[in-house]
Amino acid sequence: MTAVALDAASSPEDAASATRAWVEAHVPAAWRAAAPGGRDAIRAARSRAEYEAWYPVFGASGLVAPTWPPDCGGLGVTAAAARAIDAVLAPLNLGRLNPLGLNLCAPALFAHGTDAQRRRFLPPIVRNEERWCQLFSEPGAGSDLASLATRAARDGDEWVVSGQKVWSTWAHRSDYAVLLARTDPDVPKRRGLTYFLLALHQPGVDVRPLRHLTGEVDFNAVFLDGARVPDGQRVGDPGDGWRVANATLSSERQMVAGAGSGGVDRIGGSGVDHALALAHRRGRAAEPVTRQRLAARVAEERVRAWTNARARAGRSARHPPGAETSVGKVHSGELNQRLQLLATDLLGAGGAAWSASPAPYAETLPHEVHGMLRSRANTIEGGTSEVNRTIVGERVLGLPREPDPWHDVPWREVPRS
């Protein structure tokens, strides 16, 4: 398996042509035949297991992250060529696996990592050979992340880490984690943090799954007791972790700023097209109030898509993430909750009660109810709406910073619950 023959000099037309040729040669014929029928038809033509088994072919092509340099698993093409590639691939619904590696780890490595770190960790992320999660939030440090208490102490060429993390999405499936830990308790909280790349399959790491509202496991509590990280897996300088982490946090806001789950159960439910089709199937599309609610969701979804496109264009051009990620996160989280609630309302009584089944609870939920329940987390995960509104107020509107009496006080002296 080799990468597609494209580079920075390739035009969008060349990129589209080469991608079409790769699709003809490497995407199974049954999947290509199902593409005109949309995502439901494609999902009927291929199972998740089949897609994961085939995925190394996609990963080796360079098309997963085409703007990345070739030695990082990409092709080094321009943003315009990448858009042409995506236009060819979009009808095939070739979802990128390992989204937390692609969207949380990679931005920090590109912005603050070394060349050696990028060459070591990015290609296996692209190929989905090493899966990633994020170890930031703690029981006493959620919205106020900078107050976190997990400690990392230097021991020769390694760091020894102890503490607890929580709400760590997919940690139970992951091989590595981006980790934020306190390395200096005697300076103000934002200046004593360091960013690490932690191997999870080692002594001193205990991952405990947490079952959420829909009955499934996505989140985890992670207990660290003497886990070790080589100093070569420190990203940025000691004490500079807050600045490095902001590359991850901004990209995380962008990642969760969408409608519908995108197949990874990260957001919850389906997009507005599903709600429109459901309204027609249920004979509700002509109801004045229903039409008004549907029209509002369609308009909001268009605004969300434009905001996300702006953010993606900036990332493709290697611009640092801007405030548009927080704007998109606030809007999309609340929009998705409204959208999934509308879809559930369209079920009528079927949204409140359904046939019992001996299957596990999560498997009995109607799709719309599952999406509505999952969406309740949208205004919390990836930074709460309250925190993101503060970011928008301070960084976009220029409002005075929110008062923090402990801003310049050493972390050791700050009261904690």
Side-chain angles (χ1 to χ4, degrees):
M1 294 182 289
T2 58
V4 176
L6 293 170
D7 56 32
S10 302
S11 69
E13 294 75 19
D14 290 341
S17 177
T19 304
R20 283 191 290 268
W22 178 86
V23 167
E24 287 294 321
H26 294 93
V27 176
W31 303 1
R32 288 185 273 121
R39 292 189 174 190
D40 289 342
I42 293 172
R43 287 174 181 144
R46 74 180 190 218
S47 68
R48 174 78 178 193
E50 289 172 332
Y51 186 63
E52 290 190 355
W54 170 85
Y55 195 83
V57 177
F58 191 23
S61 71
L63 297 171
V64 171
T67 61
W68 291 12
D71 62 356
C72 294
L75 298 172
V77 302
T78 65
R83 288 192 292 271
I85 289 169
D86 284 343
V88 174
L89 297 179
L92 295 160
N93 193 29
L94 302 181
R96 273 68 168 176
L97 301 182
N98 207 1
L100 303 190
L102 292 167
N103 295 291
L104 303 188
C105 177
L109 288 181
F110 277 123
H112 304 284
T114 64
D115 288 340
Q117 289 172 338
R118 288 189 282 268
R119 288 193 299 269
R120 160 62 185 88
F121 290 106
L122 293 179
I125 285 175
V126 170
R127 297 191 297 264
N128 194 38
E129 293 171 352
E130 293 174 346
R131 299 186 182 187
W132 286 73
C133 67
Q134 174 184 287
L135 299 184
F136 280 14
S137 295
E138 300 183 4
S143 295
D144 184 16
L145 177 62
S147 66
L148 63 86
T150 293
R151 296 288 300 276
R154 188 73 179 258
D155 181 20
D157 291 333
E158 293 184 316
W159 296 80
V160 182
V161 185
S162 296
Q164 180 186 353
K165 300 293 182 175
V166 76
W167 308 124
S168 304
T169 302
W170 302 332
H172 61 303
R173 304 184 206 162
S174 297
D175 305 297
Y176 282 88
V178 294
L179 167 74
L180 199 59
R182 187 163 303 283
T183 51
D184 187 350
D186 296 315
V187 297
K189 57 186 180 182
R190 288 177 178 81
R191 298 208 293 269
L193 302 173
T194 303
Y195 191 108
F196 299 99
L197 310 176
L198 173 74
L200 294 177
H201 303 308
Q202 64 164 299
V205 178
D206 181 12
V207 178
R208 303 182 190 178
L210 302 172
R211 196 167 299 278
H212 59 63
L213 187 62
T214 58
E216 299 162 317
V217 172
D218 273 347
F219 309 125
N220 300 265
V222 180
F223 295 84
L224 304 169
D225 184 9
R228 290 183 171 266
V229 189
D231 188 56
Q233 291 173 208
R234 167 179 48 82
V235 182
D237 293 331
D240 199 29
W242 186 249
R243 186 168 67 98
V244 180
N246 271 297
T248 291
L249 294 170
S250 293
S251 188
E252 181 184 31
R253 295 177 196 120
Q254 165 65 16
M255 183 182 70
V256 300
S261 68
V264 297
D265 194 33
R266 179 68 182 170
I267 305 299
S270 297
V272 71
D273 289 344
H274 176 80
L276 289 167
L278 180 62
H280 283 285
R281 288 200 306 271
R282 306 285 296 188
R284 309 262 319 258
E287 297 173 357
V289 172
T290 298
R291 289 176 62 191
Q292 190 173 39
R293 292 177 71 189
L294 286 167
R297 299 298 85 78
V298 169
E300 285 190 279
E301 171 63 15
R302 184 63 59 85
V303 171
R304 181 206 64 80
W306 286 334
T307 302
N308 279 356
R310 204 168 85 227
R312 282 194 299 271
R315 285 172 55 188
S316 295
R318 299 289 179 84
H319 294 158
E324 69 273 4
T325 59
S326 290
V327 173
K329 170 63 170 64
V330 170
H331 177 239
S332 68
E334 296 176 2
L335 165 59
N336 200 51
Q337 290 178 348
R338 291 191 290 270
L339 178 58
Q340 305 315 322
L341 185 58
L342 169 59
T344 302
D345 288 347
L346 291 171
L347 296 179
W354 49 90
S355 299
S357 168
Y361 168 71
E363 297 179 15
T364 71
L365 291 172
H367 172 74
E368 294 77 12
V369 175
H370 184 285
M372 181 271 291
L373 293 175
R374 177 62 182 85
S375 73
R376 304 323 299 169
N378 293 170
T379 49
I380 302 172
E381 60 194 341
T384 65
S385 290
E386 291 77 9
V387 166
N388 280 290
R389 281 192 169 91
T390 296
I391 293 172
V392 172
E394 293 175 358
R395 300 183 189 176
V396 179
L397 302 179
L399 299 178
R401 289 186 62 87
E402 185 172 335
D404 181 0
W406 310 104
H407 186 272
D408 295 317
V409 176
W411 176 84
R412 194 188 296 277
E413 300 175 14
V414 176
R416 290 181 296 282
S417 59

